[in-house]
Amino acid sequence: MTSLIDGLLIALEPANLLYAMAGAVLGIVFGSLPGVSATLGIALLVPLTFGFDPVPALIFLGAVYCGAIYGGSISAILLNVPGTPAAVATMIDGYEMTKQGRGGLALGLATIASMIGGQVSALVLLFAAPLVSAWALEIRSAEFFWIVLFAMSTVGAIGTGSPLKGLLAAIVGLAIGTIGAHPLTGEVRYTFGELALYEGVPVVSALVGLFSISQVLALAEGRGMEKQVEIPTVGRLWPGGALLWRLKKHLARSSLIGVFVGLIPGAGADIASFIGRSEAHRYAREPKRFGHGSEEAIVGAEAANNGVVGGSLIPMLTLGIPGNAVTAALLGGLLIHGLIPGPTLFQQAPDVLYPFIFSLFIANAMFALIAFGALRYIAKIVLVPQGVVAPVVAALAVVGAYSFRSIPFDIWIMFAMGIFGYILRRADFPLAPIILGLILGPLAESNLDRVQTLAGAADLSVMGFFMQRWITIILMVLTVATVAFSFWRDIRVRRVEDTRPEGPE
Amino acid sequence: MLARFRRNPLETIVLVVLLVLGIAGWMMSQNFRGDAGTWPGVIMIMMSVGALLVLGAQFLGPVDETAETPAATEMSGKVRIAINVAILVVYILAVTSVGLYASTAIYLFGHMLYLGIRPVWLAIATSVAVAAVLWMFFGYVLGISISNTLLF
């Protein structure tokens, strides 16, 4: 209880409120810029927090996360261009409302729904994370190894278009994670004599390169394709108490959907927003208005995508397992401050974690206040040409990669990962499983090493050791079932497409 | 066979590279002492097998006519990407020889001009402003500098 009160008081300190505000503003800016996702925003800003103390750094990054997921809806509603993948579901009805001259109402509803989704998820995080963390203390190496494999298989197989490619991308990430010294013996692997790789490929450089340089090249592809657009008249933002009261069930349902989806590895804010919208349609008063400017659709999608924030932080903070690319980027922020996410983090650093969690409530309120106060001005950010965005992102990536260890080699690592990421994007491979593999690979290996030692001491094979506890067996079955399910689903979808009659839809 | 390769040649090249890297990585892992080679060995085999499976699905499986073929990059597009990569390489080389913030300002100006930002004064103002903000934050607040460079 003392930790909770202390955490709240630290989060309310004026300096920390300023960090939350700065993070929320930057989050909205990054989120609303088409081509700059929440992941890219956090990846670019993680190195920037290197000089901060851990508490303000996490408060700042947490606020960026909240603001960026919300910010995606601005360009989606005003320009029919989703700022982030999470805003695609919002765009369908949001832009319709803009065309009908009700863009302000759409933005107002998106703001309120995002704020409520975020607050609900922060509340669940506040109470659930310490409980999960206490339970996680009972987890042993064998279980941890299989939890990592389960998370990897889920992210690779379910969260992507092609399960085979998703899993291969996760394995590529694990392979990159084997570079560097072996954690137990110190044997140096795949470094080719490069001392800077002794501790492995730096996560921050890899993260920044994979998501920023690949995106810079993707943005640069579209040179000359920019159209001069104007922001439509926004009008009044506040939707009114009566309308919000009428939408209360959608707000509550979609917020909880977001939290639940956030807990599942591989399922991020984009999936949550579509599920939220679909459930809002199922329980809608006026389902026929969906797709033609429905307020219920916007609320359903936006409460769900911001609900993901708190849910996705639970496995990341308590088990050290990021379920999606944004939390993987955020995990990089924790690592550079010496905070190792996992079961012991709540015991070791409650003075950092509770202020961080309370700051999420503040950040959610802040982006709503900022939006209602200055959205007309912030919305102009969506007009910044991509010819400006791309070079600025590249410059931030270079300075950020260098700032972490002040080794020029890190810039080249970042650049190489960026080129690699761009080629993989062109070859239709997902990038998120790669960064998760890179982060989780060493965790899986160190736990497997412990299992090998324990199995040897108990005169058992590694598989025999795994079979000793029922929870390990459940995790093994879940991992295999996840992969099998994803392949079954993929085959089924292909068969349905093969049997679909050709002709106009 | 050739028609299937042409549907997405880059994918095939990536898969062949991963296959070869997996085999080479597995062979290298056999020389690591103690248990240090166990995990990398397993991962490298999985990478090769995974690449083979995707290649197999690409060349032996049914052709998915409904799937979007990645837009083939025209020669002008390839040249444009190559120029963008070259600009970035020159920038990174300049960072370690000329200096972080001076080269950042010059790079921003050059890349913005190449990407079609006009008028020129807008590119100049944006470049100087961004480089100044980076210098203020990273150089002044965080104290990051690259030694042995011509400028700051």
Side-chain angles (χ1 to χ4, degrees), chain B residues 27-83:
Chain B
M27 288 168 73
M28 287 175 74
S29 74
Q30 301 306 299
N31 297 323
F32 298 145
R33 281 170 295 174
D35 290 336
T38 310
W39 176 252
V42 171
I43 295 301
M44 295 302 168
I45 289 171
M46 286 170 68
M47 191 160 84
S48 290
V49 172
L52 261 181
L53 285 173
V54 183
L55 275 170
Q58 194 184 27
F59 284 97
L60 303 175
V63 177
D64 185 3
E65 299 291 347
T66 57
E68 272 184 46
T69 309
T73 313
E74 292 171 7
M75 188 47 76
S76 61
K78 285 177 186 165
V79 170
R80 194 185 305 147
I81 293 300
I83 292 173

Side-chain angles (χ1 to χ4, degrees), chain A residues 70-132:
Chain A
Y70 157 69
S73 66
I74 298 173
S75 51
I77 290 170
L78 294 178
L79 298 179
N80 204 27
V81 180
T84 58
V88 175
T90 310
M91 185 176 73
I92 303 166
D93 286 83
Y95 189 62
E96 282 298 317
M97 288 178 72
T98 299
K99 284 199 291 187
Q100 295 161 9
R102 298 190 298 145
L105 177 62
L107 283 170
L109 283 171
T111 307
I112 299 276
S114 296
M115 183 194 70
I116 290 175
Q119 301 293 24
V120 169
S121 78
L123 196 66
V124 174
L125 173 68
L126 179 66
F127 290 106
L131 296 175
V132 178

Side-chain angles (χ1 to χ4, degrees), chain A residues 402-440:
Chain A
Y402 181 76
S403 67
F404 180 45
R405 295 196 298 181
S406 298
I407 303 173
F409 185 76
D410 284 355
I411 304 176
W412 289 109
I413 290 276
M414 183 276 297
F415 181 68
M417 288 298 288
I419 299 291
F420 183 54
Y422 175 72
I423 292 170
L424 289 183
R425 280 165 75 133
R426 294 285 308 176
D428 215 14
F429 279 85
L431 298 185
I434 297 176
I435 203 71
L436 293 180
L438 173 60
I439 289 173
L440 295 178

Side-chain angles (χ1 to χ4, degrees), chain A residues 104-110 112-113 116 236-248 251 295 299 372:
Chain A
L105 177 62
L107 283 170
L109 283 171
I112 299 276
I116 290 175
R236 199 170 72 106
L237 292 178
W238 177 245
L243 178 59
L244 288 175
W245 183 251
R246 187 164 70 79
L247 297 169
K248 61 184 181 298
L251 285 166
E295 295 89 348
V299 162
F372 278 107

